Amino acid sequence: MENLLQQPIEYLKGVGPARAELLKKELNIFSFGDLLQHYPFRYIDRTKFATIKDIDSDEKYYQLKGIITSVKTIGDNRQKRLVATFKDATGVCELVWFKGVQWMEKSIQINQEYVVFGRPQLFNNRYNFPHPEIELVKEINADGVQSGLYPVYSTTEKLKFKGFSSKALAKIQKTLLQQLKPHDVVEILPPNLIAELKLMMRFDAIHNIHFPKNNAAQQQAERRLKFEELFLIQLRLLRTKIGRHQSTPGFVFEKIDNYFDNFYKKYLPFELTNAQKRVIREIRKDVLCGKQMNRLLQGDVGSGKTIVALMSMLMAVDNGFQACLMAPTEILAQQHFEGISSLVKELGINVAMLSGSSKTSERKFIQRELESGTINILIGTHALIEDTVQFKNLGLAVVDEQHKFGVQQRAALWRKNTTPPHILVMTATPIPRTLAMTLYGDLDSSVIDELPPGRKPIKTLHKFDSARLHLFGLIKEEIAKGRQVYVVYPLIEESEQLDLKDLMDGYESFAREFPLPNYRISIVHGRQEPEDKELEMQRFVKGETQIMVATTVIEVGVNVPNATMMVIESAERFGLSQLHQLRGRVGRGGSQSYCILMTGNKLGADARTRMKTMCSTNDGFVIAEVDLELRGPGDLEGLQQSGVMNLHIANLATDQRILQTARDKANELLEQDALLQKPEHQRLLQLIKNVELEKKVWGKIS
Ligand code: ADP
Ligand code: MG
């Protein structure tokens, strides 16, 4: 039925084998159907133009119409750039290309009218446009499109070089659309849903997304296609969730009268927050219902997830099961081990620790004790999931900082018992609601949205490198109060050598400013031997050193309540979520803590927004939302591997409302027809099954 859409792309008129190869390689377009799904990412609105004299901000995009009066190349071969002079009735500005210079130079037509679209930058007090999109006005007008909207497609330098500009893509789209018959694009959504939401039919939507009749039709087409895309994902996720609730049996933890109660009544070192109590109740309900728990626990840094993990593990132990806690780094595992051991030391529970650096004899001993059931709680790194580690009766597995682990690693935990253990995954990286819905849409979710009482909000300041003396002064004041200070340098793999040099230079400048014997400094980075790293870390933890100069290895884990100042060097090079994570290392004791963001004097618009956001809020969820807006979802950690993220048109940052509707409607539909047996749901079922075949692993595993 959908034969036309399955045709290989080389068969389309105007493509041919050579260009087809490029389309496959560069844009993943293999078939006619793939081409149709290569939607425009924006439109040239031929009715709306700004003028050069209107330009007043480097944070906005502008669309201009005017004439390119001259082009010249500047610089030598290594750093060549092309500068075009662009003029309209109100003024003159420059268009600049650093890449594809030769090709641009050849293709630009002097004294012809162009539409220019881009974001300007301020240089020598004048605005110019780096790498703008440009289109010849005569070509836009030549294609006979009636409405004001002309599609713009993303393409690549290589494609452009072979003549496949956005314009050329528009041309083959048009060729294809002219061949398309209604039966080639069958409707997949049930009629009542289309009626209820007043959605445009699929066939019309495909036409209007590429060549809109008018603005309203474009909006309707976009809404329809976004909804369809998100709806299918939600339907799939919810089916997995419902299926698991119905079919995966779980251990029942009925009793909490011994360890759990005892701990709660006698040894709990503080009153639980309401949020912690609520989450513990949610977990308890899960482990009582006879189905396997798969729960995501989100809570900002310092919100107290560990105690929730511990109390959940006690529920398992109370019922004769073992529990384990897996952390992403040795340091974090060690800290969990020490913290938890000391919390339960009066309970008579056996807690052990296993990591990559455990000695062979120790490892053997632990393995024996695990198999005999002597060990109740095992804490460790991913060493826990190795096949040699066998439990007598694992009932609950907790994964801390789950975004650091891959799907495969989490999957291994499922197999540690004949009935899969309950799974609790914890993350301190707050995820915007829409993202959580999509990324973890098949998990149940809990949130700790309250910090323990008595915490003073961390004060965050942004300083330029030129204010370094002031920074030193602030650090000295803090140390004089008996406090400790972190200084963190970025370490990005690609520029590791350079970064390491920065770190060493930084260390030396701190060593000069804070000399012995009054001051002592620890240094920690990824290139050190593990023992050295551990030793330096311990010196800081024990308070023997007052300053710790480090790379981001300290991002997760360390807990030093006496550390009250976090200095982040080259803060503009960090993403928002990483800045927030780093800041969470301080503010853990009762005293006022500070985070100081050091940056170069010149900052881009995004970097300014990041600094402003950090200075204005401590709320991880707000920060996550801004992060999502700035970066778009594509870059966020863990999203690629989720396999649900190959979105063609929907945008998780901006389409929250459509996503919510899609989830609600998917829920309603499954409530009426859980197995998708009704005739009007057959196309949906078929589509979902196709995707499920491809994503088999992901579908089943938390
Ligand atoms: P995270 O959620 O980042 O893992 P932790 O579990 O490490 O946070 O807790 C951070 C700190 O807060 C720890 O020192 C812990 O003992 C303390 N804490 C946790 N819950 C409470 C509470 N309800 N009242 C007071 N302090 C708490
Ligand atoms: Mg933690």
Side-chain angles (χ1 to χ4, degrees):
M1 254 165 73
E2 278 189 298
N3 271 343
L4 185 70
L5 297 192
Q6 283 157 8
Q7 295 273 326
I9 191 67
E10 47 265 47
Y11 295 167
L12 188 64
K13 194 165 150 270
V15 178
R19 301 219 286 178
E21 276 317 300
L22 268 176
L23 284 176
K24 290 177 198 172
K25 243 201 233 115
E26 298 284 303
L27 296 176
N28 257 326
I29 296 177
F30 287 82
S31 64
F32 288 15
D34 292 339
L35 179 65
L36 280 186
Q37 285 210 327
H38 189 65
Y39 302 121
F41 69 93
R42 68 176 197 90
Y43 302 85
I44 294 175
D45 185 341
R46 283 173 286 188
T47 61
K48 278 194 194 120
F49 292 98
T51 59
I52 291 176
K53 93 170 158 17
D54 293 336
I55 301 173
D56 60 0
S57 157
D58 59 1
E59 293 180 26
K60 283 194 294 213
Y61 284 86
Y62 292 90
Q63 174 169 283
L64 307 165
K65 188 151 80 173
I67 288 169
I68 294 184
T69 55
S70 67
V71 286
K72 55 177 188 273
T73 43
I74 297 179
D76 57 21
N77 265 339
R78 279 179 52 228
Q79 268 213 322
K80 208 148 86 173
R81 65 181 198 274
L82 182 73
V83 179
T85 308
F86 177 75
K87 199 176 103 183
D88 71 3
T90 69
V92 180
C93 68
E94 286 181 339
L95 317 176
V96 189
W97 287 268
F98 302 93
K99 280 192 213 150
V101 167
Q102 265 183 349
W103 184 79
M104 281 309 298
E105 190 176 10
K106 259 197 291 184
S107 67
I108 288 179
Q109 301 183 17
I110 303 297
N111 290 330
Q112 290 291 329
E113 203 176 14
Y114 275 95
V115 172
V116 168
F117 180 86
R119 188 157 97 169
Q121 66 181 7
L122 198 55
F123 187 72
N124 279 344
N125 270 329
R126 287 177 55 177
Y127 287 104
N128 68 48
F129 286 83
H131 283 260
E133 294 163 29
I134 63 171
E135 298 282 352
L136 272 170
V137 171
K138 64 178 178 199
E139 287 191 354
I140 302 176
N141 291 339
D143 83 336
V145 175
Q146 300 307 312
S147 82
L149 298 178
Y150 183 79
V152 183
Y153 296 94
S154 65
T155 166
T156 63
E157 295 294 329
K158 266 205 191 120
L159 279 169
K160 277 191 207 159
F161 193 72
K162 296 280 173 188
F164 249 137
S165 58
S166 159
K167 211 158 37 213
L169 283 169
K171 204 161 157 195
I172 59 170
Q173 292 283 12
K174 185 132 234 188
T175 310
L176 176 54
L177 286 167
Q178 277 161 354
Q179 300 175 32
L180 212 60
K181 301 277 177 317
H183 69 253
D184 294 318
V185 188
V186 234
E187 186 51 64
I188 55 172
L189 297 177
N192 60 350
L193 193 58
I194 291 180
E196 184 192 342
L197 299 176
K198 301 196 174 63
L199 294 174
M200 185 181 256
M201 296 298 283
R202 199 161 188 237
F203 181 74
D204 299 332
I206 294 280
H207 275 274
N208 277 292
I209 201 70
H210 292 289
F211 297 97
K213 277 204 197 70
N214 50 46
N215 284 30
Q218 186 277 330
Q219 280 161 19
Q220 283 300 317
E222 188 176 311
R223 177 168 159 264
R224 148 77 208 213
L225 294 169
K226 284 178 169 180
F227 177 82
E228 170 184 315
E229 185 163 55
L230 295 171
F231 181 73
L232 286 171
I233 292 175
Q234 289 305 323
L235 203 57
R236 190 160 57 77
L237 289 168
L238 288 168
R239 244 169 65 94
T240 311
K241 181 166 156 179
I242 293 172
R244 195 168 46 213
H245 281 179
Q246 285 168 351
S247 66
T248 315
F251 301 120
V252 178
F253 298 166
E254 241 165 341
K255 296 185 288 227
I256 48 163
D257 49 4
N258 189 5
Y259 297 115
F260 183 98
D261 262 2
N262 215 358
F263 178 77
Y264 189 77
K265 288 187 188 131
K266 289 204 211 134
Y267 303 113
L268 194 62
F270 36 68
E271 171 99 11
L272 292 177
T273 62
N274 285 329
Q276 285 169 322
K277 284 184 195 157
R278 185 187 67 236
V279 171
I280 289 173
R281 274 199 304 273
E282 284 164 354
I283 292 170
R284 175 133 169 79
K285 214 167 136 201
D286 283 358
V287 297
L288 274 172
C289 77
K291 302 294 174 198
Q292 186 209 18
M293 169 172 81
N294 262 283
R295 189 166 280 280
L296 171 72
L297 171 54
Q298 288 188 72
D300 218 339
V301 260
S303 62
K305 294 183 291 296
T306 316
I307 201 84
V308 173
L310 171 61
M311 293 179 72
S312 311
M313 293 196 287
L314 292 179
M315 294 178 202
V317 178
D318 261 334
N319 291 273
F321 290 93
Q322 291 162 300
C324 70
L325 169 59
M326 179 164 81
T329 64
E330 178 108 25
I331 296 163
L332 187 52
Q334 182 68 33
Q335 217 159 47
H336 276 319
F337 173 67
E338 283 163 15
I340 287 177
S341 300
S342 92
L343 282 168
V344 301
K345 68 174 181 290
E346 306 293 335
L347 285 183
I349 282 184
N350 206 344
V351 183
M353 151 109 188
L354 183 70
S355 77
S357 66
S358 304
K359 300 208 179 56
T360 315
S361 55
E362 200 183 330
R363 189 180 282 255
K364 289 220 168 99
F365 177 74
I366 289 177
Q367 279 164 10
R368 265 202 313 277
E369 301 266 279
L370 267 184
E371 283 169 42
S372 70
T374 321
I375 292 174
N376 304 107
I377 292 179
L378 181 65
I379 293 171
T381 57
H382 46 260
L384 289 190
I385 55 182
E386 281 164 24
D387 288 339
T388 47
V389 180
Q390 294 292 332
F391 293 82
K392 179 169 181 231
N393 199 4
L394 182 67
L396 168 71
V398 184
V399 184
D400 196 13
E401 304 296 344
Q402 76 82 32
H403 63 288
K404 302 272 167 186
F405 292 101
V407 176
Q408 301 296 339
Q409 288 169 309
R410 298 201 299 271
L413 288 170
W414 277 55
R415 296 191 287 270
K416 291 284 177 194
N417 206 342
T418 41
T419 297
H422 295 298
I423 307 276
L424 179 66
V425 296
M426 308 199 293
T427 173
T429 310
I431 309 164
R433 235 171 53 81
T434 58
L435 222 51
M437 225 191 276
T438 313
L439 191 47
Y440 303 108
D442 58 340
L443 300 190
D444 296 300
S445 142
S446 295
V447 182
I448 304 185
D449 48 7
E450 184 186 353
L451 289 180
R455 298 263 172 89
K456 293 200 180 65
I458 301 165
K459 284 194 180 138
T460 302
L461 312 170
H462 170 209
K463 301 219 162 284
F464 293 109
D465 285 335
S466 46
R468 196 149 280 277
L469 279 181
H470 187 196
L471 169 72
F472 288 148
L474 291 174
I475 295 178
K476 281 181 186 154
E477 276 174 36
E478 225 29 43
I479 294 177
K481 284 187 249 163
R483 309 269 178 250
Q484 290 164 283
V485 176
Y486 296 102
V487 181
V488 178
Y489 284 82
L491 190 110
I492 319 275
E493 262 166 48
E494 303 94 67
S495 55
E496 202 174 341
Q497 290 298 341
L498 258 174
D499 285 341
L500 214 56
K501 185 174 174 308
D502 282 355
L503 174 80
M504 287 308 172
D505 290 351
Y507 172 71
E508 273 162 29
S509 82
F510 274 92
R512 271 195 303 277
E513 191 64 35
F514 298 90
L516 292 163
N518 287 345
Y519 299 101
R520 286 170 207 277
I521 306 181
S522 288
I523 178 161
V524 177
H525 57 81
R527 283 290 181 87
Q528 278 168 318
E529 293 298 322
E531 306 89 77
D532 294 344
K533 199 194 297 184
E534 187 61 29
L535 185 84
E536 291 285 308
M537 206 80 130
Q538 282 308 331
R539 290 201 318 145
F540 188 75
V541 172
K542 289 188 196 135
E544 293 167 12
T545 57
Q546 299 108 328
I547 300 178
M548 175 147 100
V549 174
T551 56
T552 43
V553 290
I554 65 156
E555 186 188 344
V556 282
V558 275
N559 188 14
V560 181
N562 190 46
T564 51
M565 184 174 278
M566 167 64 67
V567 179
I568 304 177
E569 297 279 2
S570 304
E572 69 270 35
R573 288 180 51 196
F574 290 92
L576 264 178
S577 76
Q578 216 179 1
L579 289 173
H580 181 63
Q581 289 286 307
L582 285 169
R583 177 168 62 183
R585 298 298 110 211
V586 297
R588 305 196 144 212
S591 28
Q592 179 63 55
S593 288
Y594 303 89
C595 173
I596 303 181
L597 307 169
M598 301 299 296
T599 70
N601 289 2
K602 275 187 94 172
L603 288 182
D606 280 5
R608 281 202 300 268
T609 308
R610 291 201 296 274
M611 300 309 129
K612 233 192 306 178
T613 308
M614 285 295 293
C615 293
S616 63
T617 181
N618 280 308
D619 184 330
F621 283 92
V622 174
I623 289 171
E625 298 282 353
V626 178
D627 200 26
L628 182 59
E629 269 164 44
L630 285 181
R631 297 203 295 172
D635 288 342
L636 293 189
E637 216 165 355
L639 277 180
Q640 262 77 22
Q641 68 172 22
S642 79
V644 294
M645 229 30 56
N646 302 321
L647 298 176
H648 291 284
I649 188 161
N651 175 340
L652 295 181
T654 49
D655 296 328
Q656 309 191 2
R657 278 183 48 199
I658 301 181
L659 175 57
Q660 185 67 55
T661 312
R663 187 167 177 92
D664 293 346
K665 294 297 159 194
N667 245 329
E668 280 173 27
L669 190 142
L670 288 172
E671 268 166 27
Q672 299 158 14
D673 184 14
L675 300 175
L676 298 180
Q677 285 171 325
K678 292 190 181 165
E680 65 268 34
H681 299 154
Q682 289 318 296
R683 297 216 113 254
L684 286 174
L685 181 63
Q686 198 190 332
L687 275 169
I688 289 172
K689 278 198 168 151
N690 288 345
V691 185
E692 272 169 6
L693 275 179
E694 288 164 29
K695 308 271 155 58
K696 213 165 172 181
V697 186
W698 173 252
K700 187 157 163 47
I701 289 148
S702 57

